[in-house]
Amino acid sequence: MSTDLEILQLHEWFETGGKPLVIAGPCSAESEEQLITTAREIAKVPQVNVLRAGVWKPRTRPGEFEGVGTKGLKWLEMAKAETGLKTTVEVAKPEHIELALKHNIDILWLGARTVVNPFSVQEIAEALKGIDIPVMIKNPLNPDLKLWLGAIERINAAGINKVMAIHRGFHYFGSSQFRNAPMWEIPIELKRLVPKLPIIVDPSHICGNRQLIEEISQKALDLEMDGLMIESHYRPDEALTDAAQQLSPNILAQLLDKLKIRETKGDILFQDKLEKLRTEVDKLDVELLQILAKRLEIIDEIGQYKNENDITILQMKRWVGIIEDRLSIGKELGLEEQFLKRILNIIHRESIQRQTDIFKRRG
Ligand code: PEP
Ligand code: MN
């Protein structure tokens, strides 16, 4: 998967003093009092840069609270004027963009339910043409990196180069302690594909409860993600949406204070040591692959020999002996039994496959 994106790095357009970008605010704007009071309290938390609130809420079923609409934008504008915090809101249609701009919203975001639909994303992209505003793109509900990347590409192609991704976890059918499984390998792969793209982690929607938010936030920072979006409400238990996962501004402040921002950049000694260790790992990986290739070459020779002498491929006794022997060597070297079994099985399967291929070719 190759990408052709022209994206600005976060520090090129947003000053955070080298710290992660922190976005906080209620899931939904509910009333003037709720939003302004929450904003005032959040503004006292020094780490927070941006105030969030949803005013159009995509709900699973009709009849649930669907957001206060345009009047919520007015409250966001008032909160911004009073606190100096920048503001961000979710947009799902072209008219939302127009209204958000009228109310001086600083950053827009596309929600997970919008990103699953390329028609909606394209419509929004068209409406963004000629406008210079940062846009954050949440991952789609389902774990589909291409769909996420596709939305980022569509928005970027509309001329938006201040683009960020928001990792909010993925719908997962199995049982999980999270509301949306983090599947970290997906945002990490996104970072690998588009190194300049800032990725903000939304622990609130990943966790779905208050208990796990700190752990996920720390993990995000340890994985060098660029920031956090955390839902915060002045009376979390009374929130009209996502009550179980919202934090009071006070708890938010305590949580942010506890997070460790591990300095990797600039710490030359640390980087140097890390680089040396990585180089060693690189060398070992090459050796490992060379040894594997050599082993399979010999397996091919054995296959040919068996074929010429009409001997069957699998000799169970030999395989059982190998397992016993390698397990005991591996255990002595401090390797886990389950790990050894898995790796031996993979190697064995490949060996059998190669010999089967030889038998097929030679008849
Ligand atoms: C939200 O941020 O409140 C929201 C609706 O999130 P998501 O689109 O990630 O479900
Ligand atoms: Mn929410």
Side-chain angles (χ1 to χ4, degrees), residues 13 21 23 50 52 87-89 91 107-111 115 133-138 148 152 155 160 162-166 200 229:
W13 58 272
L21 175 73
I23 302 167
V50 180
R52 66 150 278 157
T87 53
T88 182
V89 79
V91 291
I107 304 174
L108 306 176
W109 93 75
L110 269 58
V115 177
I133 189 161
V135 179
M136 306 190 286
I137 297 147
K138 286 201 168 195
W148 196 4
I152 293 163
I155 299 298
I160 302 287
K162 294 168 191 157
V163 192
M164 292 197 273
I166 301 180
I200 304 295
M229 183 195 248

Side-chain angles (χ1 to χ4, degrees), residues 27 52 57-58 90 109 111-113 138 168 202 205 231 242:
C27 178
R52 66 150 278 157
K57 298 305 294 180
E90 174 177 352
W109 93 75
R113 288 158 191 81
K138 286 201 168 195
R168 48 79 78 202
D202 171 349
H205 290 89
E231 287 187 338
D242 289 349

Side-chain angles (χ1 to χ4, degrees), residues 48-65:
V48 178
N49 311 97
V50 180
L51 174 69
R52 66 150 278 157
V55 305
W56 300 286
K57 298 305 294 180
R59 303 312 301 275
T60 307
R61 301 191 60 203
E64 295 178 287
F65 173 70

